[in-house]
Amino acid sequence: VASDYPICLAAYNNGHLHGAWIEATSPDEVRDKIRAMLAASPEPDGDEWAIHDYEGFEGARLSEYASFETVCALAAFIAEHGALGAKLYRNFGDDITQAEAAFEDYAGSYHSAADFAEELIRDSGTEIPAALDYYIDWTALARDMALNGEIMVFQTGFDEVHIFWSR
């Protein structure tokens, strides 16, 4: 569950830490909870807020002034795609639209990028003579595909990578 910790800037600027952990559900719900937090501020007229902490976003970054819509959209995206979603989000410069669109080019999950390259070649119908089979460097082929911009590789575990075709 992704949450953020917005604080009252009026209280913060006067030496008081006043905020609340708020679950990133819907923009309207977050807005209402921030209004309630500001209303309970020890400083009168507290109407400005900033996000000073967050958790559950799998390493994705949030601006301290991110909109309610941005926070909730990112939370939903991370809830659906986990650490892989966070890596994509960072890869695309914190642009959730591009991160979401990348899934249109998802090639799958593999133990390694080399496994992907080998499966791709074998499934293409290319005949590899048995005498040469052990000489093919699938790791180098996968590395070259990534360096040439054909694929993007995201590692999410010791033996788990996710491959996306590059646009």
Side-chain angles (χ1 to χ4, degrees):
V1 174
S3 312
D4 60 354
Y5 188 79
I7 55 113
C8 172
L9 286 177
Y12 182 77
N13 290 333
N14 286 293
H16 304 285
L17 182 58
H18 175 76
W21 281 103
I22 297 174
E23 188 176 325
T25 50
S26 74
D28 290 336
E29 210 172 301
V30 171
R31 185 177 293 109
D32 290 345
K33 289 180 180 180
I34 287 179
R35 283 186 186 139
M37 179 272 298
L38 291 171
S41 175
E43 293 295 322
D45 302 321
D47 62 350
E48 294 181 335
W49 58 272
I51 299 170
H52 275 207
D53 201 0
Y54 49 90
E55 63 183 21
F57 286 88
E58 298 285 348
R61 296 177 298 263
L62 273 179
S63 161
E64 67 180 338
Y65 299 108
S67 71
F68 305 129
E69 291 77 15
T70 298
V71 170
C72 293
L74 181 56
F77 183 70
I78 298 300
E80 183 178 352
H81 299 291
L84 176 60
K87 286 177 184 270
L88 278 170
Y89 180 73
R90 287 193 313 264
N91 182 74
F92 287 108
D94 299 345
D95 184 330
I96 195 159
T97 303
Q98 287 187 348
E100 289 171 334
F103 278 97
E104 294 173 17
D105 300 312
Y106 184 59
S109 174
Y110 297 85
H111 288 292
S112 68
D115 286 352
F116 166 76
E118 181 176 3
E119 181 179 300
L120 179 70
I121 297 302
R122 292 191 189 283
D123 287 353
S124 73
T126 302
E127 291 293 326
I128 301 169
L132 298 178
D133 198 27
Y134 294 107
Y135 291 98
I136 298 174
D137 188 344
W138 299 112
T139 302
L141 177 60
R143 182 191 63 238
D144 289 351
M145 290 175 76
L147 289 173
N148 289 336
E150 297 171 54
I151 61 171
M152 295 181 294
V153 181
F154 296 93
Q155 186 163 0
T156 56
F158 173 71
D159 63 349
E160 180 180 61
V161 298
H162 296 268
I163 308 292
F164 291 81
W165 291 105
S166 296
R167 293 178 166 240

